[in-house]
Amino acid sequence: MSAEPFLPEHPSLTSVRKAMQACEGCPLYRRATQAVPGVGRAGAALLLVGEQPGNDEDLAGKPFVGPAGKRLDRALEEAGIDRTTVFVTNAVKHFKWAPAEGKRLHKKPSAREVNACRPWLTAEIALVHPQVVVALGATAARSLFGNQVRVTRDRGEPLETSLAPHGMATIHPSSILRQRTDADRRREHAAFVEDLRIAAALLRQ
Ligand code: URA
Ligand code: SF4
């Protein structure tokens, strides 16, 4: 189970985006509307990796356009990072969901699905050639940095990767939205902004 056979012979962001739509590297393509490739310029210094598209992203074909994306935009702005200088993508390119109460409920991708989809992620990173890659949440952190990474323990710290000069992990913005009280949301949001500031500082190294 792998996306590898579906990679284009001559990779560019355009050819990768196109080839991704025909990927059958794992079962997730069957129930999703479309594959959701990363968005941003080649040469973006900062590359952010989420988990997988959500309901809104699956319909729009673009990453981080729903509630988690709005929260991410706000945090980036507060950290002094211009979203247009960032490449944003996901560890898994198709939306995994199950029907519940007439809606499409997000389901966590399995380790096998994350592994199957990694060739798309590494192809995007190689083409963008960022200074810093940041994993948003545990799924992206495992895909980028391996199974030993623990986001709660390792967030905001430098992590080794062969994919870019600097690596880092932080929480997923949707975990801020899941907090129960305003105080908890405020605290988690501030910590997230702080991690993004650390990533921005790595850019200047
Ligand atoms: N959550 C993600 O991890 N990625 C998206 O693109 C949207 C929500
Ligand atoms: Fe291919 Fe990734 Fe979609 Fe699976 S989730 S079909 S590996 S693009």
Side-chain angles (χ1 to χ4, degrees):
M1 197 160 102
S2 174
E4 196 75 50
F6 300 93
L7 289 176
E9 207 176 318
H10 303 288
S12 68
L13 284 177
T14 308
S15 69
V16 161
R17 216 176 276 138
K18 185 151 179 269
M20 198 183 283
Q21 296 307 332
C23 185
E24 301 184 359
C26 83
L28 295 187
Y29 73 92
R30 294 204 187 105
R31 290 158 65 84
T33 308
Q34 57 192 318
V36 178
V39 163
R41 288 182 303 113
L46 179 59
L47 187 145
L48 304 178
V49 184
E51 183 194 60
Q52 63 169 344
N55 185 65
D56 297 335
E57 291 78 14
D58 170 82
L59 298 173
K62 292 196 178 81
F64 284 106
V65 295
K70 302 255 173 341
R71 177 58 65 153
L72 174 62
D73 286 348
R74 219 179 101 189
L76 284 170
E77 197 183 325
E78 288 172 29
I81 301 168
D82 181 356
R83 168 63 124 126
T84 62
T85 67
V86 177
F87 191 92
V88 182
T89 191
N90 283 303
V92 169
K93 307 307 189 186
H94 279 107
F95 178 35
K96 184 177 184 179
W97 60 276
E101 296 156 23
K103 286 200 277 198
R104 301 194 298 172
L105 204 72
H106 165 277
K107 284 191 76 185
K108 215 176 173 55
S110 70
R112 289 184 69 210
E113 289 155 352
V114 174
N115 289 337
C117 210
R118 192 181 298 101
W120 293 121
L121 178 62
T122 53
E124 287 179 318
I125 297 174
L127 290 162
V128 172
H129 208 67
Q131 278 296 305
V132 185
V133 290
V134 176
L136 304 175
T139 300
R142 275 197 298 274
S143 185
L144 288 171
F145 306 115
N147 285 326
Q148 303 310 312
V149 183
R150 295 290 173 271
V151 169
T152 43
R153 182 193 64 198
D154 302 326
R155 65 183 295 179
E157 301 290 337
L159 293 169
E160 274 290 317
T161 169
S162 58
L163 301 167
H166 302 283
M168 207 191 88
T170 182
I171 56 155
H172 193 287
S174 67
S175 74
I176 303 170
L177 303 174
R178 285 196 302 270
Q179 297 294 320
R180 270 191 259 149
T181 68
D182 279 352
D184 290 344
R185 262 188 299 279
R186 266 197 301 277
R187 189 194 60 236
E188 289 303 309
H189 180 84
F192 183 49
V193 171
E194 195 44 49
D195 286 350
L196 293 175
R197 284 209 181 95
I198 294 168
L202 288 171
L203 289 175
R204 295 189 285 271
Q205 276 187 15

